[in-house]
Amino acid sequence: MRILLLGSGGREHALASKISQSRHTEKLYILPGNAGTLQTGENVSINPSDFKAISQFVLDHHIDIVVVGPEDPLVKGIYDYFNNSPNLRHIVVIGPSKAAAQLEGSKDFAKAFMKKYGIPTARYCSVTSDNLQVGISFLKNLHPPYVLKADGLAAGKGVLIIQQYDEAENELKKMLEGKFGEASKKVVIEEHLTGIELSAFVVTDGNDYKLLPEAKDYKRVGEGNTGPNTGGMGAVSPVPFATKEFMAKVEQRIIKPTIKGIHKEGLVYKGFIFFGLMNCNGDPYVIEYNVRLGDPESEVILPRLQCDFVELLLATAQNKISSFDIPFDPRSVATVMLVSGGYPGDYEKGKEIKNLDKIKDSIVFHAGTKAEDNKILTNGGRVLAISSFGNNYKEALKISNANAALIDFENKYYRKDIGFDLVL
Ligand code: AMP
Ligand code: GLY
């Protein structure tokens, strides 16, 4: 099989590793990839949202499968772009259709879907400048903190959690006036949920699904979960509090009704679903859907999958996921993200990364890196994810932390307390 993977982060390096290990992979291209994906295939500098350039490349290079890492091309409709062109229709695209991708691309769509199918989630009210007063009344009846979400994609910045009522009302108005551009012309106001977060994943063919390992990611930049949100500073899988009993509730109350809803609504979906969940005293609630795998969650869940990954992709495309077996490695995997100092604010790029050759016992997934003049340079906020196996998350973290300390680049920063809120 000739496979094309879209994206350039740690998630994509983890996907590229799995794909390159498959006995079915004849050739792997990554668009645009990073210095890590170079070890698994060929990088091509095409933007993952440039559908015209991608489709020309796919035809010229006789690609059989397109795997989409990030949400942007999915929300913009890459699945439909291929499916609607007679000369591209035979190519397998792993990901949801544009209509189904609204589960991530529109918070209002996702909330209405959950309400219709009885899926537990925070109470909400969707507001535009036309019904601002309805939104203000809803907001007044909530207890702080107040949760305001831009309806559309806002590069992970569109959620505000605000303590004071006056500030919340003010921010609501600013959002509707375009604080996050078009994405916040509609705002979802939500009740605040208290609990501990985790991420659940499935692969679906639109009719049935298979559960993948769950993970817990650490979004805040600072130790003790403080400071601004990032794309994710580390992750562990499995999650100790995701017991059999809790995961049975997740499947029964959330995953099964979601798949049923997708089927009933006639949404075409052949790919991964990421359920951002809150465990509120043992009961799961959906915080958000994502229509892709997570990053850095992929760097802990994909190493645990013991099936041939391309066979999994083909079973998804061919509606055979119900009979596809996905064994997991029972051990834990933990990842620690090395980031450029200043991230998620301003940071510098182009710093040489040293000591990569000294790393033993960990898998180093590249995120923001590039190869230049026989050197590996930093090329983003999140630079490398250091993933390790262990008999439990603590053992795995010990190895990742030791290797995180060994790698060297100017202004390197990482959280040394991943997993701090978990108990074995
Ligand atoms: P989202 O982009 O929807 O995942 O929101 C970003 C983060 O905001 C989540 O990971 C949660 O930590 C937090 N969050 C979102 N919605 C809520 C809510 N209703 N209650 C509490 N925290 C929330
Ligand atoms: N780690 C969160 C995400 O991928 O959205």
Side-chain angles (χ1 to χ4, degrees), residues 14-189:
L15 281 166
S17 300
K18 273 286 167 202
I19 294 168
S20 68
Q21 286 158 16
S22 164
R23 65 193 175 95
H24 301 282
T25 303
E26 184 191 318
K27 179 81 192 171
L28 171 62
Y29 295 98
I30 309 96
L31 272 62
N34 57 37
T37 61
L38 271 179
Q39 299 154 12
T40 65
E42 193 175 325
N43 288 351
V44 182
S45 86
I46 291 179
N47 179 328
S49 288
D50 185 347
F51 298 169
K52 206 162 165 225
I54 294 168
S55 57
Q56 195 54 53
F57 184 89
V58 160
L59 291 172
D60 292 346
H61 294 82
H62 310 287
I63 299 298
D64 302 294
I65 309 178
V66 177
V67 183
V68 187
E71 62 276 17
D72 236 39
L74 294 167
V75 172
K76 289 186 177 133
I78 192 163
Y79 184 95
D80 309 63
Y81 188 92
F82 273 71
N83 205 42
N84 294 339
S85 320
N87 59 341
L88 297 170
R89 194 169 290 154
H90 62 285
I91 296 156
V92 166
V93 179
I94 298 296
S97 61
K98 187 174 184 176
Q102 287 184 87
L103 285 171
E104 177 166 358
S106 164
K107 304 265 187 209
D108 177 47
F109 177 90
K111 295 297 275 190
F113 176 93
M114 286 186 262
K115 195 170 175 183
K116 182 165 176 186
Y117 291 97
I119 296 163
T121 187
R123 280 192 309 124
Y124 80 108
C125 175
S126 289
V127 193
T128 64
S129 49
D130 295 336
N131 65 346
L132 176 62
Q133 282 316 316
V134 176
I136 288 178
S137 312
F138 184 81
L139 201 58
K140 278 189 176 145
N141 283 315
L142 292 176
H143 299 288
Y146 304 94
V147 181
L148 304 178
K149 299 186 174 184
D151 175 54
L153 293 184
K157 298 193 169 76
V159 175
L160 302 182
I161 299 186
I162 299 168
Q163 295 298 334
Q164 301 297 333
Y165 176 81
D166 290 347
E167 193 190 340
E169 189 179 313
N170 217 3
E171 283 296 335
L172 171 63
K173 289 177 184 157
K174 282 200 218 155
M175 286 173 86
L176 293 173
E177 282 161 13
K179 177 171 176 143
F180 299 105
E182 275 304 306
S184 67
K185 291 283 167 82
K186 191 185 267 181
V187 173
V188 171
I189 308 171

Side-chain angles (χ1 to χ4, degrees), residues 107 149 159 161 190-193 197 219 287-288:
K107 304 265 187 209
K149 299 186 174 184
V159 175
I161 299 186
E190 274 186 26
E191 167 189 39
H192 184 264
L193 297 175
E197 284 179 69
K219 289 200 176 82
I287 292 282
E288 63 166 349

Side-chain angles (χ1 to χ4, degrees), residues 339-341 348 350-354 378 383 407-413:
V339 307
S340 303
E348 290 178 19
K351 308 291 180 195
E352 185 178 355
I353 304 171
K354 294 183 191 146
T378 66
V383 177
I407 291 177
D408 189 33
F409 59 86
E410 199 183 314
N411 286 332
K412 173 186 81 175
Y413 170 74

Side-chain angles (χ1 to χ4, degrees), residues 287-307:
I287 292 282
E288 63 166 349
Y289 287 116
N290 293 312
V291 296
R292 50 170 174 86
L293 287 175
D295 193 351
E297 288 93 333
S298 298
E299 292 93 303
V300 294
I301 66 172
L302 295 180
R304 296 186 59 214
L305 300 187
Q306 291 175 321
C307 60

Side-chain angles (χ1 to χ4, degrees), residues 187-399:
V187 173
V188 171
I189 308 171
E190 274 186 26
E191 167 189 39
H192 184 264
L193 297 175
T194 307
I196 182 159
E197 284 179 69
L198 77 158
S199 313
F201 299 89
V202 302
V203 55
T204 184
D205 54 18
N207 297 307
D208 213 327
Y209 73 93
K210 278 287 154 73
L211 195 63
L212 300 176
E214 77 285 351
K216 171 148 185 61
D217 115 87
Y218 289 79
K219 289 200 176 82
R220 302 292 199 92
V221 74
E223 294 186 355
N225 289 345
T226 54
N229 261 325
T230 70
M233 296 294 293
V236 300
S237 174
V239 179
F241 64 80
T243 57
K244 265 203 170 118
E245 188 194 2
F246 180 77
M247 290 310 287
K249 289 182 193 168
V250 171
E251 283 202 71
Q252 221 43 52
R253 300 179 191 174
I254 292 170
I255 297 175
K256 286 192 171 143
T258 299
I259 302 295
K260 190 172 151 206
I262 286 173
H263 188 73
K264 272 203 154 174
E265 297 293 313
L267 297 170
V268 176
Y269 203 132
K270 293 174 190 307
F272 301 97
I273 313 179
F274 167 159
F275 299 83
L277 303 176
M278 185 79 87
N279 174 351
C280 304
N281 288 322
D283 289 317
Y285 288 78
V286 178
I287 292 282
E288 63 166 349
Y289 287 116
N290 293 312
V291 296
R292 50 170 174 86
L293 287 175
D295 193 351
E297 288 93 333
S298 298
E299 292 93 303
V300 294
I301 66 172
L302 295 180
R304 296 186 59 214
L305 300 187
Q306 291 175 321
C307 60
D308 182 298
F309 198 69
V310 172
E311 286 176 14
L312 179 147
L313 300 178
L314 289 173
T316 306
Q318 296 163 350
N319 288 335
K320 290 182 184 154
I321 206 68
S322 63
S323 56
F324 192 83
D325 193 28
I326 311 179
F328 311 158
D329 192 317
R331 290 176 298 166
S332 288
V333 180
T335 201
V336 172
M337 197 54 94
L338 303 188
V339 307
S340 303
Y343 172 78
D346 293 339
Y347 56 84
E348 290 178 19
K349 294 183 189 175
K351 308 291 180 195
E352 185 178 355
I353 304 171
K354 294 183 191 146
N355 297 343
L356 280 169
D357 53 335
K358 300 211 172 103
I359 303 307
K360 290 193 199 80
D361 310 322
S362 288
I363 316 168
V364 178
F365 291 119
H366 289 231
T369 68
K370 70 172 176 185
E372 210 173 88
D373 303 331
N374 288 326
K375 289 179 185 161
I376 310 261
L377 306 180
T378 66
N379 193 37
R382 291 192 292 174
V383 177
L384 298 165
I386 317 292
S387 295
S388 317
F389 277 96
N391 289 320
N392 54 55
Y393 74 90
K394 284 195 172 164
E395 279 186 28
L397 277 166
K398 212 168 162 184
I399 306 170

